[in-house]
Amino acid sequence: MSKKEVKKVVLAYSGGLDTSIILKWLQDEYNAEVVTFTADIGQGEEVEPAREKAIKLGIKPENIFILDIQEEFVRDYVFPMFRANTIYEGEYLLGTSIARPLISKKQIEIAEKVGADAVAHGATGKGNDQVRFEIGYLSLNPDITVIAPWREWDLNSREKLLRYAEEHGIPIEKHGQKSPYSMDANLLHISYEGGILEDPWAEPEESMWRWTTSPEKAPNEPEYIEITFENGDPIAINDSAMSPATILRTLNEYGNKHGIGRIDIVENRFVGMKSRGCYETPGGTILLKAHRAIESITLDREEAHLKDSIMPKYAELIYNGFWFSPEREALQALIDNTQKNVNGVVKLKLYKGNVEVVGRRSPNSLFDANYCTFEEDEVYNQKDAEGFIKLNALRFIIKGKNKCK
């Protein structure tokens, strides 16, 4: 489909400078009617100003969509991911990655509602997000046209972007000194890239962190909290039932207070390059620790080990943008089936950047003190271990005897 054939396009629109420029560029380059979609996924910034900015740029009021999707985000994306104890490359809790499929889904839904034949995003040609958005779009609507301005235009520097904005009357808001970092935030995390972080030896400045208290400045007294789980999902904190988004928001507050959830990593992008990123995931860090703790007493050994063995693949699928793939859905079905008995309460101690599990209980607990006690018991015959050991060592015994021949 050529530029002239695109009649209506749904743009993922934040209201910031870059997407405002994209909005105007789409109007000029494609001569297309633009529909804006702004998602509130708990990024901590007002989203309603995007409506006024879009109107100023000529967008009809009926073509402006601003949706609060925080509950759906946590319930249908974050929680399913945490049922798998998902971590990418040993450290990253996938805060940016897990938000992209929902944004893609909403864009496609809006496109179908308004009769748009194209969708557009503001991700660059170097990053993972272009892959995540576009695989999401095409998974849900294989006939949709995808427009990625950063792969088409020559506005490849901030100077060119500012000049384009000035020439086309796009307002440039100034709120003091601009952050030197490229940031992305939602209810699960905030990320930082660029600036001094492009030197993997340079320590991040303390002023960079926005969501967590420095562990050195966190309270000198620990705080205890309890998280209640049902079918693998948290449903209450300190016996207070909460919605999914409220659970995560509350855990973020605890994590912020106690300096929990900071990481500094170099990760392997799907497009091939290495990238350094710093992340704050306060509530997610607490949740991961608690979920593993409740699973430790409710999952069978082989069930738990199987989950751990498939988790890296599951994490890779989310990181690379394959949320809507049949393989991710198949793994999710297996993971969710393991969660039917993951019920109970975990007690945690929060202190200066650390999350320590100090208690766990469940009506489905497989922990039986009658078997594992160091005191006298009447249920376990220690002599049984001899045959168990010999059978497991049999292949080594045979191999060792053959060496002697």
Side-chain angles (χ1 to χ4, degrees), residues 58-127:
I59 305 301
K60 301 174 184 177
E62 63 267 26
N63 281 346
I64 299 172
F65 291 81
I66 298 176
L67 303 179
D68 183 343
I69 51 176
Q70 295 180 68
E71 291 292 349
E72 184 177 357
F73 173 53
V74 180
R75 182 189 66 239
D76 297 341
Y77 294 81
V78 175
F79 280 4
M81 182 176 72
F82 272 81
R83 288 175 211 144
N85 302 318
T86 313
I87 306 177
Y88 179 69
E89 295 187 337
E91 294 192 83
Y92 177 35
L93 295 181
L94 297 166
T96 297
S97 314
I98 194 59
R100 296 332 189 200
L102 177 56
I103 294 172
S104 299
K105 176 174 175 281
K106 293 301 178 182
Q107 269 187 274
I108 294 298
E109 289 176 356
I110 292 169
E112 292 173 351
K113 180 177 181 178
V114 302
D117 47 16
V119 289
H121 62 78
T124 74
K126 280 189 174 182

Side-chain angles (χ1 to χ4, degrees), residues 79-85 233 291 295 307 335-336 339:
F79 280 4
M81 182 176 72
F82 272 81
R83 288 175 211 144
N85 302 318
D233 291 341
H291 185 258
E295 281 193 332
K307 276 189 77 239
I335 290 160
D336 291 351
Q339 301 296 290

